[in-house]
Amino acid sequence: METVQTILTHRYSYPHEHTRHAIIAVAVSGLFFISADNIHSLIQKLDKNYQWWSIYACLFGFFYFFSSPFFGKTIKPSYANFSRWHISWILVAALYHLPSFQSMGVDMRMNLSLFLTIFISSIFVLLVFHLGFLFLWYIGLVSREAGRRPDILTILQNCTVLSVACCVFYSHCGNHVLNESPFGRKDSGLFSLWKTGEPSELLAKFLKMYEFKDEECISWFAIGSARDYPLLSKWVIYGESSDEISPIYSLWATFIGLYCANFVVERSSGWAHTHPLSVDNQAQRKPDFLDMVPWYSGTSADLFKTVFDLLVSVTVFVGRFDMRMMQAAMSGSHEGAKPEDFLYEHFSEKDDFWFDFMADTGDGGNSSYSVARLLAQPSLHVLNNGSLNKLPRGDLLLIGGDLAYPNPSASTYEKRLFRPFEHALQPPSWYKKEHIAVNKPELPVGISDLKQYDGPQCFVIPGNHDWFDGLQTFMRYICHKSWLGGWLMPQKKSYFALQLPKGWWVFGLDLALLSDIDSYQFKFFSELIRDKVKETDSVIVMTHAPNWILDHYWNDATGKNVSHLLCDHLKGRCKLRMAGDLHHYMRYSYVPAEKPAMVQHLLVNGCGGAFLHPTHVFSNLIEAHGTTYETKVAYPSVQDSRKIALGNILKFRKKNWQFDFIGGFIYFILTFSMFPQCKLDHILQDDTFSGHIKNFFSAVWDAFIYMVGESYVSFVGALILLVAAILFVPSKVSKKKRVIIGVVHVSAHLVLALVLMLLMELGVETCIRHNLLATSGYHSLYEWYRSVKSEHFPDPTGLKARIEKWTFGLYPACIKYLMSAFDVPEVMAVTRTNICKNGMVSLSRGGAFIYYASVFLYFWVLSTPVVSLVFGSYLYISINWLHLHFDEAFSSLRIANYKSFTRFHIKEDGNLEVFTLAVDKVPKEWKLDSDWDDESKQQEHQLSHHRKYPSTWRASSFHQDPINTLRIVDSFVIQRDETVENVPVAENHH
């Protein structure tokens, strides 16, 4: 209903939606009319042209396979939009060179020629009309309210509607190419429909439909003599002394007149100003969340900036400049001057204390908002062991780094981090986005101390992505701002210590890009442990990177200062280490042994909004801090993680269609200097299918030998690809294995590139042999159109000649070169024939460029699905068989589901309850929450954390809303002593 309402309701003066829907309506009606009055020819000739139909089926099937990832993508200047036009262009060009397409009753050449000429003519006429109208408005002859300029996209869409409508009319009423008796010949083959003595009832309906079509064309469009028209109309449209008419152009003139009349009436009456577009409309009907980051995009400026920032950070900042040292120097913490910049004690006196932990947010808007919406609720109700648990909102939110992807720019922080959190829990009404907090904490009016503030607060540590710019954006948006949505941020520096009730502490460490704390940070925490932390206290250490997993995986040893702090200063008081960075949930608990554990539990929860990471790669026993740990819980499960990895084979290109930009160029470089292949006769000369296959792969081997021996460009490209593939293999495996994996990977790409090259050359060679290509030379479509246009489109008034004269030949030249764009197969075949006869020296530089550009257009379509399939299969084998590329193999899938956060409860007896709450499936469609809307209107100036409904959007489907699908995936209790109590988790939670 929303789509129908959008179509029928004018939202602004010249909506793109209406012209786009008009194009679709005209195209669909055209297909209906063409198929309706030509279906008898279609069925009749099907058994005679099965070879052509098989070609059509393969052609359309492959183009559908190529274009399927782009369906449903937003129409905007992007690679998806470019690919749509590219696919349509070369598909029409291919169909244009298959004349048997006329068996469906469609004259492809004439329709294409007609569309192009009418499209260019319509643009010219409408541009002149709009310029004239604006001139009349400028001199005051038209109402001043009518001066709003039309959008150029609207003009182009209207021209497309006019052109398609005229082509439909031509195909329906004016196409006499196949004007033969529909059933005047004896039919044979697969169908026995016409072999009976009398026509069937179905056949009679077809005949009646065909007769109705003739009556329709004569009555509706008045195809007849010019004598049937009034004298003035005949003179203006058809010429004073001619009875010949061209109903196509009269129909076009009618459409142009209707368009102009509609525009003048609308603008003169001021209708557009009485139906303005509502900009606010509370806000919008749908949130403007961003999609998941396309990590394999070859067109993303953000990713290129990320690579640049990372190189600069590693080569310039690491070891030369450290923001943590500057923070310590400015605060004087190394001299004990301002410990309040790092230590916060205002939570220590609370009785019943709840707090939350999440990490790695700021990727996809849907996933980030789903987690933020759950964190913002006043309380959550979930089942655990058959009983309904009420979990109040945390008074404190801890975020474990990586706040926005792919780089820490102002844009990514605002759009990917702050926007979802502000929709989940709104900041105070007086909050301004551009405000810089100079003296923190900046509390609401009437509150003088942090202990008096009853709203949720937030503390954040930076992750590796936040350090890519040297921590500049993090300092600006976290340390120098007071609100993350409705969460107050008292934090002043990138690391901190929080004193919680009942002797619990939280240490938030900043590991930067070195995976360790610096000396000033170590000094602060070691002195804090000595002076403040009691022997009976318990500490939770929060870092961004889970060193205990990554060190085990990479056979490395990082975070030595952190280990020294835990083992030699805390001495067993650290009951829990938690981190993000890996975007899954896993809990490791120590295996009881004679030696006491320095840390009881190791917890990873990076499911705050970023893409999912696997769990089956990290499910083994690990060693950390001199203690052995075993996996207690993995979310998603190890089995589910393995199944998810299979998506790399089936979904890599659908998820990463921007990778085409890289893959298509790689394959073309590998085969660039091997075009054309002139001697392919021997492949099809064998009489057996096995002989064809043998000859084909023999030609593949010959092409490989030619590439190695004579093709310098392709050989160098293959060497560069081999080096890149070897370097791409993770360094945890030996050099020998890296070389083997890289060689196998590149060999698969190289073989398939050569196979595709030969298949394409065989296709062109076959078309040449059957006189489908290389028969007419350059500009074949334009030359053919000029030879037949006088027959189909008479011009008794000589208007075309006058237009050519008035435009100094620009109009026919424009038509000529526009039509040549659809001669790509002919250009490729003609040039290929010349090269095979006279050699490459016969081509000029311009001719060589045109030839290779033509080849590239089609080879791109052939190669991009294949390169994605091979690369996706490589990732699947690596992650499931070799346990390599855990980051690359899952970032490619861009999975927004499986999101979670951990909620803690410090009980009265000092024990710590831990609940990890998860949502298996993230909603993709949201709508305005009417309860929130009503409450916000009634309590406009009330702080959002006091509201019953704090979040702006809820899922379009009640059963998909995160609040209703939330479940507990892990639940356990950490006691003040060393005894660990594991609470079993119910299998089904709602």
Side-chain angles (χ1 to χ4, degrees):
M1 290 301 297
E2 292 182 0
T3 303
V4 175
Q5 184 179 7
T6 301
I7 296 174
L8 299 179
T9 305
H10 290 274
R11 298 177 61 193
Y12 41 87
S13 58
Y14 266 100
H16 306 314
E17 287 87 349
H18 300 335
T19 47
R20 186 170 69 248
H21 290 305
I23 296 173
I24 297 173
V26 170
V28 170
S29 62
L31 291 175
F32 170 76
F33 283 124
I34 294 169
S35 61
D37 66 343
N38 291 287
I39 195 168
H40 56 277
S41 299
L42 181 67
I43 297 176
Q44 185 184 28
K45 297 184 178 183
L46 182 61
D47 58 324
K48 294 290 187 180
N49 297 287
Y50 64 89
Q51 296 97 339
W52 289 113
W53 283 107
S54 62
I55 292 176
Y56 297 144
C58 293
L59 191 64
F60 280 104
F62 190 82
F63 273 88
Y64 171 79
F65 178 70
F66 177 86
S67 59
S68 57
F70 313 126
F71 294 157
K73 299 296 186 295
T74 304
I75 295 288
K76 60 181 180 181
S78 65
Y79 175 71
N81 196 27
F82 160 76
S83 295
R84 288 189 186 96
W85 288 108
H86 178 209
I87 293 166
S88 302
W89 171 25
I90 61 176
L91 176 60
V92 171
L95 295 177
Y96 155 66
H97 289 280
L98 294 177
S100 187
F101 197 72
Q102 292 178 354
S103 63
M104 290 192 298
V106 179
D107 185 357
M108 195 67 191
R109 291 189 177 188
M110 184 53 73
N111 276 282
L112 179 59
S113 304
L114 183 64
F115 175 84
L116 295 174
T117 53
I118 293 181
F119 184 72
I120 295 299
S121 302
S122 300
I123 291 177
F124 174 75
V125 171
L126 292 185
L127 285 177
V128 171
F129 164 74
H130 284 296
L131 289 174
F133 188 85
L134 288 176
F135 175 74
L136 294 177
W137 168 81
Y138 181 77
I139 63 177
L141 296 180
V142 180
S143 172
R144 303 300 295 180
E145 293 184 355
R148 187 183 299 172
R149 299 179 181 179
D151 192 272
I152 188 65
L153 180 59
T154 305
I155 297 176
L156 294 176
Q157 288 178 334
N158 278 288
C159 292
T160 304
V161 172
L162 297 179
S163 305
V164 172
C166 291
C167 291
V168 169
F169 168 67
Y170 171 76
S171 295
H172 186 55
C173 294
N175 190 353
H176 300 291
V177 175
L178 298 173
N179 190 18
E180 60 181 62
S181 177
F183 304 101
R185 64 180 177 87
K186 183 179 179 180
D187 303 293
S188 61
L190 301 176
F191 300 94
S192 59
L193 182 64
W194 296 280
K195 290 184 178 181
T196 57
E198 296 181 0
S200 65
E201 181 181 355
L202 181 61
L203 181 59
K205 291 182 179 180
F206 286 154
L207 289 170
K208 188 174 181 180
M209 183 181 297
Y210 194 75
E211 294 173 357
F212 174 74
K213 169 248 187 181
D214 288 337
E215 296 176 0
E216 177 189 16
C217 291
I218 294 173
S219 59
W220 287 8
F221 299 103
I223 298 180
S225 173
R227 298 189 187 93
D228 300 331
Y229 288 82
L231 178 62
L232 181 60
S233 300
K234 181 178 70 173
W235 184 83
V236 171
I237 301 176
Y238 307 115
E240 185 175 5
S241 60
S242 175
D243 285 340
E244 295 180 338
I245 67 172
S246 180
I248 298 295
Y249 289 132
S250 62
L251 182 65
W252 171 73
T254 302
F255 285 155
I256 289 289
L258 290 174
Y259 172 89
C260 296
N262 177 72
F263 186 88
V264 171
V265 171
E266 181 182 280
R267 294 307 176 94
S268 299
S269 63
W271 184 92
H273 296 273
T274 61
H275 297 74
L277 173 65
S278 175
V279 178
D280 190 18
N281 194 21
Q282 186 43 40
Q284 319 140 314
R285 292 184 177 272
K286 294 183 179 181
D288 51 347
F289 293 147
L290 298 180
D291 292 334
M292 304 290 287
V293 173
W295 294 99
Y296 286 86
S297 172
T299 61
S300 174
D302 281 339
L303 293 181
F304 289 114
K305 183 179 185 301
T306 301
V307 174
F308 175 78
D309 287 343
L310 179 60
L311 291 175
V312 172
S313 298
V314 171
T315 57
V316 177
F317 290 107
V318 174
R320 295 170 176 80
F321 174 80
D322 195 327
M323 178 62 73
R324 298 173 299 182
M325 296 182 182
M326 179 175 288
Q327 292 179 90
M330 293 179 65
S331 300
S333 62
H334 57 292
E335 299 174 358
K338 291 184 179 180
E340 67 272 11
D341 285 353
F342 301 93
L343 174 62
Y344 299 87
E345 304 171 294
H346 57 284
F347 293 118
S348 59
E349 298 178 2
K350 292 184 177 291
D351 295 327
D352 194 49
F353 190 72
W354 293 78
F355 63 100
D356 298 323
F357 170 75
M358 56 95 71
D360 300 276
T361 185
D363 190 351
N366 293 324
S367 54
S368 298
Y369 176 73
S370 295
V371 177
R373 172 170 164 77
L374 293 171
L375 293 169
Q377 300 308 304
S379 62
L380 297 172
H381 297 80
V382 288
L383 286 173
N384 188 24
N385 287 331
S387 61
L388 187 65
N389 287 30
K390 179 181 178 181
L391 308 179
R393 177 174 54 212
D395 298 306
L396 167 67
L397 171 61
L398 300 171
I399 302 181
D402 278 356
L403 306 182
Y405 295 88
N407 58 69
S409 65
S411 175
T412 54
Y413 263 56
E414 291 173 359
K415 294 179 181 179
R416 296 188 180 272
L417 172 66
F418 279 81
R419 183 177 297 169
F421 276 82
E422 288 172 354
H423 282 305
L425 191 68
Q426 292 75 45
S429 56
W430 64 83
Y431 167 74
K432 294 182 179 180
K433 294 183 178 181
E434 62 274 10
H435 176 67
I436 296 178
V438 179
N439 297 313
K440 296 179 73 173
E442 295 182 336
L443 299 168
V445 177
I447 300 177
S448 58
D449 190 81
L450 268 176
K451 294 181 180 180
Q452 301 174 359
Y453 181 67
D454 62 348
Q457 300 176 38
C458 179
F459 285 81
V460 187
I461 58 172
N464 56 300
H465 282 266
D466 303 306
W467 267 95
F468 284 172
D469 67 343
L471 214 62
Q472 296 299 317
T473 307
F474 179 90
M475 297 298 294
R476 175 185 173 188
Y477 279 88
I478 302 301
C479 298
H480 295 156
K481 284 186 178 294
S482 293
W483 298 92
L484 173 62
W487 285 269
L488 177 67
M489 293 192 297
Q491 179 179 347
K492 301 177 183 178
K493 306 299 178 184
S494 65
Y495 57 93
F496 53 83
L498 301 173
Q499 186 176 5
L500 305 183
K502 310 299 181 182
W504 283 91
W505 293 77
V506 172
F507 289 178
L509 310 184
D510 179 7
L511 303 184
L513 294 174
L514 298 172
S515 297
D516 206 354
I517 57 177
D518 61 304
S519 57
Y520 292 112
Q521 196 174 171
F522 183 89
K523 178 179 176 61
F524 165 74
F525 283 109
S526 60
E527 292 179 351
L528 179 66
I529 294 170
R530 182 192 64 195
D531 300 335
K532 294 278 189 178
V533 180
K534 301 177 182 178
E535 293 294 331
T536 57
D537 286 352
S538 300
V539 178
I540 300 172
V541 174
M542 178 175 68
T543 59
H544 170 65
N547 303 76
W548 57 92
I549 296 181
L550 297 177
D551 288 351
H552 176 77
Y553 179 83
W554 294 108
N555 298 320
D556 199 359
T558 62
K560 295 181 179 180
N561 290 343
V562 176
S563 297
H564 180 38
L565 186 71
L566 296 175
C567 299
D568 298 331
H569 290 266
L570 283 175
K571 298 178 180 179
R573 283 174 285 181
C574 179
K575 300 299 178 67
L576 173 67
R577 277 197 69 183
M578 58 185 185
D581 194 41
L582 296 178
H583 310 157
H584 56 225
Y585 176 78
M586 298 192 75
R587 174 168 67 91
Y588 301 85
S589 295
Y590 78 100
V591 177
E594 296 181 359
K595 184 179 179 181
M598 293 295 102
V599 182
Q600 290 185 4
H601 297 280
L602 305 173
L603 184 148
V604 182
N605 193 347
C607 302
F611 65 88
L612 182 69
H613 268 139
T615 56
H616 64 277
V617 178
F618 308 102
S619 58
N620 300 325
L621 291 173
I622 61 173
E623 296 281 341
H625 313 305
T627 306
T628 301
Y629 294 85
E630 62 179 344
T631 304
K632 289 294 185 180
V633 180
Y635 177 76
S637 67
V638 171
Q639 295 78 10
D640 290 341
S641 179
R642 290 183 178 275
K643 293 178 182 178
I644 292 170
L646 184 63
N648 275 294
I649 298 178
L650 305 177
K651 299 179 181 179
F652 180 86
R653 185 164 180 270
K654 185 175 180 60
K655 296 282 187 179
N656 304 279
W657 42 266
Q658 300 97 327
F659 187 68
D660 289 354
F661 192 80
I662 300 173
F665 275 107
I666 290 176
Y667 270 34
F668 186 67
I669 290 174
L670 292 177
T671 59
F672 166 76
S673 53
M674 287 179 282
F675 284 101
Q677 293 286 315
C678 298
K679 299 179 181 180
L680 300 176
D681 299 344
H682 64 286
I683 294 179
L684 302 178
Q685 286 177 355
D686 200 290
D687 295 333
T688 62
F689 180 76
S690 60
H692 294 327
I693 297 297
K694 180 180 179 181
N695 293 337
F696 180 81
F697 281 100
S698 175
V700 172
W701 175 255
D702 293 339
F704 174 74
I705 297 300
Y706 175 82
M707 182 196 74
V708 174
E710 301 183 39
S711 177
Y712 299 109
V713 174
S714 298
F715 181 67
V716 171
L719 285 180
I720 294 175
L721 182 62
L722 178 61
V723 173
I726 295 173
L727 294 177
F728 185 64
V729 179
S731 58
K732 66 172 294 183
V733 299
S734 64
K735 292 183 179 180
K736 182 179 179 180
K737 290 184 178 180
R738 294 180 70 186
V739 172
I740 294 174
I741 294 173
V743 169
V744 172
H745 186 194
V746 171
S747 297
H749 284 296
L750 183 57
V751 169
L752 287 173
L754 295 175
V755 167
L756 292 176
M757 181 269 297
L758 285 175
L759 286 176
M760 181 173 168
E761 286 291 279
L762 273 176
V764 176
E765 177 71 20
T766 303
C767 289
I768 293 175
R769 288 181 175 273
H770 287 80
N771 295 323
L772 295 176
L773 293 176
T775 58
S776 305
Y778 302 116
H779 302 293
S780 60
L781 178 60
Y782 180 71
E783 296 300 332
W784 176 86
Y785 173 67
R786 290 194 63 181
S787 65
V788 299
K789 69 176 181 179
S790 59
E791 176 185 353
H792 287 264
F793 309 113
D795 182 26
T797 61
L799 180 61
K800 296 176 185 176
R802 290 196 292 270
I803 291 178
E804 292 183 11
K805 182 179 178 181
W806 294 338
T807 58
F808 302 100
L810 181 62
Y811 176 79
C814 181
I815 297 294
K816 177 180 179 180
Y817 288 103
L818 187 61
M819 285 185 174
S820 67
F822 292 90
D823 277 333
V824 175
E826 184 75 8
V827 170
M828 182 169 53
V830 170
T831 310
R832 179 182 184 276
T833 302
N834 293 336
I835 295 174
C836 291
K837 287 182 179 180
N838 305 315
M840 287 295 298
V841 293
S842 62
L843 281 186
S844 63
R845 290 184 179 179
F849 174 81
I850 293 174
Y851 170 71
Y852 284 111
S854 303
V855 169
F856 177 70
L857 290 174
Y858 283 92
F859 191 73
W860 176 293
V861 178
L862 287 171
S863 61
T864 47
V866 175
V867 66
S868 295
L869 179 63
V870 174
F871 189 72
S873 301
Y874 165 77
L875 292 178
Y876 168 73
I877 294 172
S878 297
I879 189 64
N880 269 17
W881 297 4
L882 306 176
H883 285 185
L884 301 175
H885 294 300
F886 71 88
D887 200 20
E888 295 84 355
F890 270 66
S891 63
S892 62
L893 298 175
R894 302 166 63 190
I895 297 174
N897 298 324
Y898 299 100
K899 292 296 160 276
S900 69
F901 68 96
T902 303
R903 180 156 289 180
F904 301 88
H905 177 211
I906 301 178
K907 302 171 66 176
E908 293 182 0
D909 58 3
N911 293 338
L912 182 67
E913 283 186 313
V914 185
F915 304 91
T916 296
L917 310 172
V919 174
D920 294 338
K921 189 173 180 59
V922 169
K924 296 181 180 179
E925 297 292 334
W926 305 89
K927 63 181 180 180
L928 188 68
D929 190 337
S930 57
D931 294 326
W932 172 87
D933 192 26
D934 295 338
E935 188 177 25
S936 62
K937 291 177 181 177
Q938 297 172 5
Q939 305 174 10
E940 182 178 358
H941 298 289
Q942 185 183 35
L943 292 174
S944 56
H945 66 268
H946 288 150
R947 296 177 183 173
K948 184 179 180 181
Y949 304 99
S951 301
T952 309
W953 311 102
R954 64 181 178 88
S956 297
S957 172
F958 175 82
H959 299 289
Q960 294 181 355
D961 196 286
I963 295 176
N964 302 318
T965 60
L966 187 67
R967 67 188 184 96
I968 297 177
V969 296
D970 190 20
S971 176
F972 63 101
V973 175
I974 303 177
Q975 298 182 347
R976 292 290 300 272
D977 56 22
E978 293 186 357
T979 304
V980 180
E981 178 185 351
N982 286 288
V983 180
V985 182
E987 292 184 359
N988 296 315
H989 299 286
H990 302 280

